[in-house]
Amino acid sequence: MFDINKLVRENIKRLTPYSCARDDYKGTTGVFLDANENPFGSLNRYPDPYQQKLKAAICKIKGVQETSIFLGNGSDEIIDLCFRVFCNPGIDKAMIFPPTYGMYEVSASVNDVAIIKVPLNNEFQINIKEIEPYFKDEKLKLMFICSPNNPTGNCMNHSDIEYIIRNFDGIVVLDEAYSDFSNEASFIDKTDLYPNLIVMQTFSKALGLASVRIGIAFSDPAIIHYFNRIKPPYNISTINQEAALNKLTDIELIMKQVNVIKNERERLASELASLNITCKVFPSDANFLLIKVKDANNIYNYLVNNEIIVRNRSSLIDNCLRITVGTKDENDKLLDALKRINL
Ligand SMILES: *Cc1c(COP(=O)(O)O)cnc(C)c1O
């Protein structure tokens, strides 16, 4: 039987959470003399620590219960909270599948947690045979699976993800930052089924609010409960909660823009493939393309000199550039520059 309390750090189970003024009195009307706020101004009040209005809107769209979601100051805060809830510094371990998103390893280092790296295979898929021996490792608390994966752009095999969730004794953190650009189904619905699954999504990509810094975790209420116990009480500002709420009032526009980006991705992919500097355009389920070129460093520098900035990922994957899909105009500027290239 899965027991979350066996995975949570002892000090996290024991601690008394900070109790803020808004925890003691939950009403919304009255004379508020309880939080040492300044009575003057318009942004003078502390934000709702549990972001109830925003959560209600998200839950309505996603079809989940409010006790099953947590909002972080970006996905980055959620990644950090995973380490703080589950990993004893200097003792426990986490697993990642490189090349992948850099924050998992940085956050592990900050929390003094050792990282086991099991590289993706030639198809950029998880090597199941290689990780099976770790499934019962009591010190291994977290596995971070990014799907669609950054920077490779592809989804991990659905059946592999499910096999890992079912057989690994620790927590699987599934990062779905790019899932809105993919045709593969999200795992959000499976959080009811699997008490060791945390699915992360974000306002930073398809929703177009990277500056607002809001990440969403979908999980079993027992895990959400621990996130709430240790988060900084006012982790999302009122301005940011309102910006996010406002964005959710026009889902149709968001879907339209996502479709534009997906169509541009396909156009850009075929145009890039026809250039003589291109060795390979990898298939993408995200809003970026990974391409292998003849001389990535030179092409990167050439583009920077033309004020076009892409991400040089050569240090992770030989001679590869990661190119975010922009507007038609921006993509044309990139293509024009690459056609004029003369290295
Ligand atoms: C961009 C990105 C995120 C988003 O992080 P935020 O902190 O929510 O902006 C999360 N995961 C991956 C893999 C990303 O590429």
Side-chain angles (χ1 to χ4, degrees), residues 116-179:
I116 302 172
K117 297 182 193 179
V118 181
L120 298 174
N121 66 21
N122 288 338
E123 271 90 54
F124 294 145
Q125 292 294 332
I126 295 170
N127 199 327
I128 296 288
K129 280 273 160 311
E130 224 173 289
I131 69 169
E132 265 186 314
Y134 294 96
F135 281 169
K136 306 288 160 195
D137 182 338
E138 285 186 4
K139 296 269 186 309
L140 182 62
K141 296 291 172 66
L142 303 172
M143 282 193 193
F144 286 91
I145 302 175
C146 189
S147 180
N149 185 42
N150 177 3
T152 61
N154 64 304
C155 286
M156 300 299 112
N157 292 328
H158 200 92
S159 56
D160 286 348
I161 298 174
E162 194 142 8
Y163 182 80
I164 294 169
I165 299 167
R166 280 169 179 270
N167 291 285
F168 174 43
D169 280 355
I171 303 288
V172 174
V173 184
L174 180 60
D175 189 342
E176 291 189 339
Y178 298 98
S179 69

Side-chain angles (χ1 to χ4, degrees), residues 87-102:
C87 297
N88 291 290
I91 296 171
D92 291 324
K93 300 173 287 187
M95 182 176 279
I96 61 168
F97 307 102
T100 191
Y101 188 44

Side-chain angles (χ1 to χ4, degrees), residues 126 248 339:
I126 295 170
L248 295 181
K339 280 172 194 161

